[in-house]
Amino acid sequence: MNDDRLETAVSLARRAGRLAQAMRADPALLDIRDKGPMDLVTAADLAVEDLLRKGLAEADPDASILGEEAGLSGDAKGAAWIVDPIDGTVNYARGMPDWAVSIAYSDGTALTHGVIHAPDLGLTAAGVRGVGAILNGQPVRLPGAVASSPVVALGYSPRGPLTDYLDRIARLLDAGVEHRRHGAATIGFLGVLAGWFDAYYEPALNIWDAAAGLVLIEAAGGSVRHDPLPDFLERPSDILTERANPPRFETLLSR
Ligand code: LIP
């Protein structure tokens, strides 16, 4: 895919992944702190976001930047980069491989570019709205084949009611649908692209966790549901992504 903006994002995501891996190799550098319930920040989150901000500002000085750790610089309603330096910080800090760098671009009306790079898993996805998506260099073309034993990945955070999450699992199991939870939305989105999961659903997800994955799955031809952009920039949104188009699990998941 020949797109300067996408190439900038892929190259920065790879540099960011290498920095995060290097910092984890020396636990003394990590400085793990609680941000809230089930929510951590490490020195690597801050250093990686700093790297991304500097690189994006240099490549694209006119765009704003919204990041999980340092917030918004500029006006997110115009052209903006939306970054999560380490999505799945709890996994990362404990040495699990399920975390990723997430970079997206919004032109002010729609999310147009997305990159998810999961260095420990050796997976890099990149896509442009209306053009397509690639996973490790191979085009991803959805809707995917309908699996006879469906698997749906779920997200949960204290931003959403626990009873809804437990009810959702009960409905899935009752309908003969397997579920997984990886603790990182980006891994759910990569799983939809890779064919591990038929769908990824998480209520009340922040835009920096979701933006790149939404671009990728829509660009690949899958189904995507979320609140419209101006609202989603200001508050979390329920997110549904599916390999099928139209979606198969919307009714089961979003009740
Ligand atoms: C995490 C998300 C996850 C959600 C967590 C958290 P972080 O992102 O990927 O899906 O359930 O609450 O938001 O904080 O690791 O970047």
Side-chain angles (χ1 to χ4, degrees), residues 28-235:
L29 290 180
L30 270 192
D31 187 24
I32 301 169
R33 296 182 190 204
D34 284 324
K35 263 201 309 192
M38 298 167 64
D39 200 6
L40 294 181
V41 62
T42 72
D45 294 80
L46 303 177
V48 171
E49 184 160 325
D50 194 50
L51 178 154
L52 294 175
R53 283 180 174 273
K54 286 184 177 138
L56 292 169
E58 197 178 314
D60 191 2
D62 295 333
S64 306
I65 303 176
L66 172 63
E68 174 173 11
E69 309 305 341
L72 175 65
S73 57
D75 173 10
K77 287 185 178 147
W81 291 95
I82 301 166
V83 302
D84 189 345
I86 299 179
D87 180 53
T89 301
V90 173
N91 296 346
Y92 165 82
R94 299 188 70 104
M96 288 186 265
D98 292 349
W99 58 276
V101 179
S102 180
I103 304 179
Y105 179 80
S106 161
D107 65 8
T109 52
L111 298 166
T112 58
H113 293 64
V115 172
I116 295 177
H117 175 54
D120 285 356
L121 297 174
L123 292 173
T124 306
V128 180
R129 180 186 170 90
V131 177
I134 52 175
L135 178 61
N136 285 4
Q138 297 303 311
V140 182
R141 298 198 207 290
L142 302 179
V146 176
S148 53
S149 50
V151 181
V152 164
L154 298 175
Y156 170 76
S157 74
R159 293 182 295 273
L162 177 60
T163 46
D164 286 1
Y165 176 67
L166 298 176
D167 286 350
R168 195 164 294 120
I169 292 174
R171 286 197 301 273
L172 287 169
L173 293 176
D174 196 43
V177 179
E178 289 247 37
H179 70 284
R180 301 285 185 270
R181 176 169 174 255
H182 287 254
T186 47
I187 302 305
F189 300 132
L190 284 176
V192 171
L193 291 168
W196 308 337
F197 310 133
D198 297 285
Y200 181 75
Y201 181 84
E202 178 157 351
L205 192 60
N206 288 309
I207 195 163
W208 47 80
D209 296 318
L214 295 170
V215 173
L216 288 163
I217 291 166
E218 187 171 49
S223 310
V224 163
R225 299 278 189 271
H226 61 92
D227 288 347
L229 246 202
D231 296 345
F232 192 14
L233 282 162
E234 275 154 31
R235 56 183 166 272

Side-chain angles (χ1 to χ4, degrees), residues 1-12 55-56 59-60 81 105 113 115 128:
M1 226 172 287
N2 199 1
D3 183 295
D4 289 348
R5 194 165 273 138
L6 195 68
E7 278 167 27
T8 297
V10 169
S11 146
L12 276 171
L56 292 169
D60 191 2
W81 291 95
Y105 179 80
H113 293 64
V115 172
V128 180

